[in-house]
Amino acid sequence: MKLLLTTALAACAAQLASAHYTFGNFIVNGTTTAEWQYVRMTDNHYDNGPVTNVNSPLMKCYETTTAAQTSTATVVAGSTVGFKASNTMGHPGYFDVYMSAASPSANTESAGSGKTWFKIWEWAPKWSKTTGLVFDSANIVQFTFTIPKNTPNGQYLLRAEQIALHLSGTYGGAQLYIACAQINVVGGGSGKPGPMTSFPGAYTGYEPGILINIYNLPANYTGYTSPGTAVWSG
Protein backbone atom coordinates (compact mmCIF):
# COMPACT_ATOMS: atom_id res chain seq x y z
CA MET A 1 0.00 0.00 0.00
CA LYS A 2 2.83 2.42 0.87
CA LEU A 3 4.53 1.67 -2.45
CA LEU A 4 1.29 2.26 -4.36
CA LEU A 5 0.74 5.59 -2.58
CA THR A 6 4.29 6.73 -3.31
CA THR A 7 3.92 5.75 -6.95
CA ALA A 8 0.60 7.60 -7.20
CA LEU A 9 2.05 10.75 -5.63
CA ALA A 10 5.03 10.64 -7.99
CA ALA A 11 2.71 10.26 -10.99
CA CYS A 12 0.59 13.17 -9.78
CA ALA A 13 3.66 15.37 -9.36
CA ALA A 14 4.83 14.47 -12.87
CA GLN A 15 1.43 15.38 -14.31
CA LEU A 16 1.45 18.74 -12.54
CA ALA A 17 4.95 19.51 -13.80
CA SER A 18 3.99 18.58 -17.35
CA ALA A 19 1.06 21.02 -17.20
CA HIS A 20 3.40 23.89 -16.22
CA TYR A 21 6.55 25.34 -17.76
CA THR A 22 9.64 27.50 -17.47
CA PHE A 23 11.17 30.03 -19.88
CA GLY A 24 14.75 28.81 -19.74
CA ASN A 25 15.80 29.38 -23.37
CA PHE A 26 16.52 32.88 -24.70
CA ILE A 27 16.06 33.52 -28.41
CA VAL A 28 18.51 36.04 -29.94
CA ASN A 29 19.86 36.57 -33.45
CA GLY A 30 17.40 33.95 -34.69
CA THR A 31 18.98 31.29 -32.45
CA THR A 32 17.48 29.50 -29.48
CA THR A 33 20.30 29.48 -26.95
CA ALA A 34 21.05 26.81 -24.36
CA GLU A 35 18.74 26.48 -21.38
CA TRP A 36 19.72 28.88 -18.57
CA GLN A 37 22.66 30.24 -20.56
CA TYR A 38 21.30 33.80 -20.63
CA VAL A 39 18.21 33.29 -18.47
CA ARG A 40 18.55 33.18 -14.70
CA MET A 41 17.67 29.67 -13.52
CA THR A 42 14.30 30.02 -11.83
CA ASP A 43 13.25 28.39 -8.58
CA ASN A 44 10.71 26.27 -10.48
CA HIS A 45 13.27 24.65 -12.76
CA TYR A 46 12.39 21.23 -11.29
CA ASP A 47 8.65 21.40 -10.62
CA ASN A 48 7.76 24.10 -13.23
CA GLY A 49 5.23 25.59 -10.78
CA PRO A 50 4.04 29.21 -10.91
CA VAL A 51 4.20 32.19 -8.58
CA THR A 52 0.75 32.91 -7.12
CA ASN A 53 1.59 35.59 -4.52
CA VAL A 54 2.01 38.92 -6.31
CA ASN A 55 3.70 40.38 -3.20
CA SER A 56 6.46 37.77 -3.15
CA PRO A 57 10.10 38.80 -3.76
CA LEU A 58 10.08 36.07 -6.42
CA MET A 59 7.94 38.37 -8.58
CA LYS A 60 11.11 40.04 -9.83
CA CYS A 61 12.84 37.15 -11.57
CA TYR A 62 11.57 34.03 -9.78
CA GLU A 63 15.04 33.43 -8.32
CA THR A 64 17.34 34.88 -5.67
CA THR A 65 20.75 33.26 -6.19
CA THR A 66 21.49 32.57 -9.88
CA ALA A 67 22.44 35.96 -11.34
CA ALA A 68 26.20 35.49 -11.08
CA GLN A 69 26.21 32.13 -12.87
CA THR A 70 24.22 33.48 -15.84
CA SER A 71 25.84 34.95 -18.95
CA THR A 72 24.79 38.24 -20.52
CA ALA A 73 23.66 38.28 -24.16
CA THR A 74 24.43 41.12 -26.56
CA VAL A 75 21.22 42.41 -28.16
CA VAL A 76 20.87 45.06 -30.85
CA ALA A 77 18.15 47.63 -30.17
CA GLY A 78 15.33 47.17 -32.66
CA SER A 79 16.00 43.45 -33.07
CA THR A 80 13.66 40.56 -32.34
CA VAL A 81 14.29 38.38 -29.30
CA GLY A 82 12.18 35.94 -27.33
CA PHE A 83 11.81 33.05 -24.92
CA LYS A 84 11.16 29.37 -25.52
CA ALA A 85 9.16 27.39 -22.96
CA SER A 86 10.03 23.98 -21.59
CA ASN A 87 6.57 22.74 -22.47
CA THR A 88 3.54 23.70 -24.55
CA MET A 89 1.91 26.70 -22.89
CA GLY A 90 -1.57 25.27 -22.66
CA HIS A 91 -2.93 27.66 -20.04
CA PRO A 92 -4.93 30.63 -21.39
CA GLY A 93 -3.43 33.90 -20.26
CA TYR A 94 -1.86 37.30 -20.76
CA PHE A 95 1.79 37.86 -21.72
CA ASP A 96 4.03 40.84 -21.10
CA VAL A 97 7.71 41.76 -21.09
CA TYR A 98 9.42 44.36 -18.92
CA MET A 99 12.97 45.73 -18.95
CA SER A 100 15.03 47.26 -16.17
CA ALA A 101 18.35 49.03 -16.49
CA ALA A 102 20.76 46.85 -14.53
CA SER A 103 22.80 48.50 -11.79
CA PRO A 104 25.59 47.80 -11.16
CA SER A 105 25.38 45.05 -13.82
CA ALA A 106 22.96 42.45 -15.16
CA ASN A 107 24.63 39.58 -13.29
CA THR A 108 24.04 41.04 -9.82
CA GLU A 109 21.05 40.14 -7.65
CA SER A 110 20.49 43.79 -6.73
CA ALA A 111 19.76 44.72 -10.35
CA GLY A 112 16.09 45.49 -10.93
CA SER A 113 15.46 46.71 -7.39
CA GLY A 114 12.90 49.48 -6.92
CA LYS A 115 10.87 51.32 -9.57
CA THR A 116 13.16 50.59 -12.49
CA TRP A 117 10.90 48.41 -14.71
CA PHE A 118 9.12 49.50 -17.89
CA LYS A 119 6.88 47.43 -20.15
CA ILE A 120 7.96 46.98 -23.79
CA TRP A 121 5.45 44.39 -25.05
CA GLU A 122 2.21 42.67 -24.23
CA TRP A 123 -0.08 40.05 -25.74
CA ALA A 124 -3.60 40.32 -24.38
CA PRO A 125 -6.63 38.18 -25.14
CA LYS A 126 -9.16 39.59 -27.60
CA TRP A 127 -12.84 39.94 -26.79
CA SER A 128 -16.12 40.54 -28.61
CA LYS A 129 -19.74 39.90 -27.71
CA THR A 130 -19.94 37.11 -30.27
CA THR A 131 -16.67 35.30 -29.50
CA GLY A 132 -16.07 36.07 -25.83
CA LEU A 133 -12.41 36.00 -24.78
CA VAL A 134 -10.06 34.59 -27.41
CA PHE A 135 -6.53 33.59 -26.38
CA ASP A 136 -4.42 33.60 -29.54
CA SER A 137 -1.41 32.66 -27.40
CA ALA A 138 -2.87 29.31 -26.34
CA ASN A 139 -0.71 26.24 -26.97
CA ILE A 140 2.38 28.09 -28.18
CA VAL A 141 5.91 26.95 -27.31
CA GLN A 142 7.71 30.28 -27.69
CA PHE A 143 7.06 33.99 -28.05
CA THR A 144 9.08 36.78 -29.65
CA PHE A 145 9.02 40.57 -29.52
CA THR A 146 11.12 43.61 -30.43
CA ILE A 147 13.53 45.54 -28.21
CA PRO A 148 12.51 49.19 -28.79
CA LYS A 149 14.89 50.90 -31.21
CA ASN A 150 15.41 53.94 -28.96
CA THR A 151 16.34 51.92 -25.88
CA PRO A 152 19.53 53.48 -24.42
CA ASN A 153 22.64 51.31 -24.60
CA GLY A 154 23.62 49.35 -21.52
CA GLN A 155 22.92 46.26 -19.48
CA TYR A 156 19.35 45.29 -18.65
CA LEU A 157 17.22 42.60 -17.13
CA LEU A 158 14.57 41.42 -19.57
CA ARG A 159 11.61 40.02 -17.63
CA ALA A 160 9.12 37.75 -19.42
CA GLU A 161 5.81 36.86 -17.81
CA GLN A 162 2.68 34.92 -18.52
CA ILE A 163 -0.29 35.43 -16.21
CA ALA A 164 -2.27 32.22 -16.65
CA LEU A 165 -5.98 32.81 -16.05
CA HIS A 166 -7.55 29.36 -16.00
CA LEU A 167 -7.97 29.49 -12.18
CA SER A 168 -8.06 33.26 -11.69
CA GLY A 169 -11.66 33.55 -10.56
CA THR A 170 -10.55 33.78 -6.93
CA TYR A 171 -7.85 35.92 -5.35
CA GLY A 172 -4.45 34.23 -5.64
CA GLY A 173 -5.71 31.87 -8.33
CA ALA A 174 -3.82 33.46 -11.23
CA GLN A 175 -0.58 31.63 -12.05
CA LEU A 176 2.45 33.73 -12.98
CA TYR A 177 5.26 32.17 -15.01
CA ILE A 178 8.31 34.44 -14.90
CA ALA A 179 11.92 34.52 -16.11
CA CYS A 180 14.65 37.14 -16.54
CA ALA A 181 17.27 37.19 -19.28
CA GLN A 182 20.44 39.22 -18.80
CA ILE A 183 21.20 41.39 -21.84
CA ASN A 184 23.52 44.14 -23.01
CA VAL A 185 21.79 46.49 -25.47
CA VAL A 186 23.92 48.00 -28.24
CA GLY A 187 23.04 50.21 -31.19
CA GLY A 188 20.35 51.94 -29.16
CA GLY A 189 19.11 55.51 -28.91
CA SER A 190 18.29 58.23 -26.46
CA GLY A 191 14.74 57.25 -25.54
CA LYS A 192 13.24 57.90 -22.12
CA PRO A 193 11.62 54.63 -21.04
CA GLY A 194 8.58 54.73 -18.79
CA PRO A 195 6.31 54.70 -16.90
CA MET A 196 8.26 52.81 -14.26
CA THR A 197 7.10 50.20 -11.77
CA SER A 198 8.59 47.62 -9.40
CA PHE A 199 8.44 43.85 -8.83
CA PRO A 200 6.91 43.15 -6.43
CA GLY A 201 4.72 46.25 -6.38
CA ALA A 202 3.33 46.36 -9.90
CA TYR A 203 0.21 44.37 -8.98
CA THR A 204 -2.16 44.08 -6.04
CA GLY A 205 -3.82 40.91 -7.35
CA TYR A 206 -7.19 42.66 -7.57
CA GLU A 207 -6.63 44.06 -11.06
CA PRO A 208 -9.46 43.08 -13.47
CA GLY A 209 -6.86 41.45 -15.71
CA ILE A 210 -5.65 39.22 -12.84
CA LEU A 211 -8.76 38.57 -10.74
CA ILE A 212 -11.15 37.40 -13.47
CA ASN A 213 -13.36 34.39 -14.07
CA ILE A 214 -12.77 33.84 -17.77
CA TYR A 215 -15.54 31.22 -17.88
CA ASN A 216 -18.25 33.46 -16.40
CA LEU A 217 -17.73 37.07 -17.44
CA PRO A 218 -19.97 39.85 -16.07
CA ALA A 219 -22.98 40.85 -18.18
CA ASN A 220 -21.51 44.33 -18.67
CA TYR A 221 -18.03 43.07 -19.66
CA THR A 222 -16.40 45.17 -22.40
CA GLY A 223 -12.98 43.60 -22.86
CA TYR A 224 -9.76 42.53 -21.19
CA THR A 225 -7.89 45.16 -19.16
CA SER A 226 -4.12 44.63 -19.11
CA PRO A 227 -2.51 44.80 -15.67
CA GLY A 228 0.61 46.85 -15.01
CA THR A 229 1.87 49.92 -16.83
CA ALA A 230 1.35 51.13 -20.36
CA VAL A 231 3.73 49.81 -23.04
CA TRP A 232 6.77 51.94 -23.92
CA SER A 233 7.34 51.47 -27.63
CA GLY A 234 10.50 53.54 -27.88
Side-chain angles (χ1 to χ4, degrees), residues 20-189:
H20 302 315
Y21 29 84
T22 61
F23 302 145
N25 300 90
F26 187 52
I27 302 169
V28 61
N29 297 325
T31 299
T32 301
T33 58
E35 190 175 39
W36 312 122
Q37 180 180 1
Y38 297 115
V39 179
R40 294 182 177 185
M41 183 180 288
T42 49
D43 285 6
N44 66 336
H45 65 280
Y46 286 127
D47 66 16
N48 293 352
V51 176
T52 56
N53 178 3
V54 297
N55 298 308
S56 167
L58 295 177
M59 281 291 293
K60 184 172 79 169
C61 290
Y62 208 166
E63 59 76 44
T64 55
T65 61
T66 62
Q69 70 191 47
T70 308
S71 299
T72 300
T74 298
V75 174
V76 179
S79 66
T80 298
V81 297
F83 290 81
K84 181 179 181 296
S86 59
N87 196 7
T88 299
M89 290 177 269
H91 296 321
Y94 162 81
F95 285 80
D96 60 32
V97 173
Y98 283 80
M99 293 178 67
S100 170
S103 178
S105 61
N107 65 348
T108 56
E109 289 295 343
S110 60
S113 299
K115 287 192 174 183
T116 60
W117 295 92
F118 56 98
K119 188 191 295 185
I120 64 165
W121 177 80
E122 66 178 2
W123 192 358
K126 301 174 184 175
W127 177 86
S128 73
K129 288 184 178 180
T130 55
T131 64
L133 283 171
V134 177
F135 295 88
D136 291 333
S137 59
N139 298 314
I140 61 172
V141 295
Q142 65 182 46
F143 51 97
T144 58
F145 48 90
T146 301
I147 300 297
K149 179 62 180 174
N150 287 323
T151 302
N153 291 342
Q155 293 195 10
Y156 291 83
L157 296 181
L158 184 67
R159 179 186 181 276
E161 171 183 74
Q162 187 210 21
I163 304 177
L165 301 173
H166 57 298
L167 298 174
S168 61
T170 57
Y171 184 84
Q175 298 182 353
L176 290 86
Y177 297 88
I178 301 165
C180 287
Q182 299 179 174
I183 66 172
N184 181 44
V185 173
V186 298

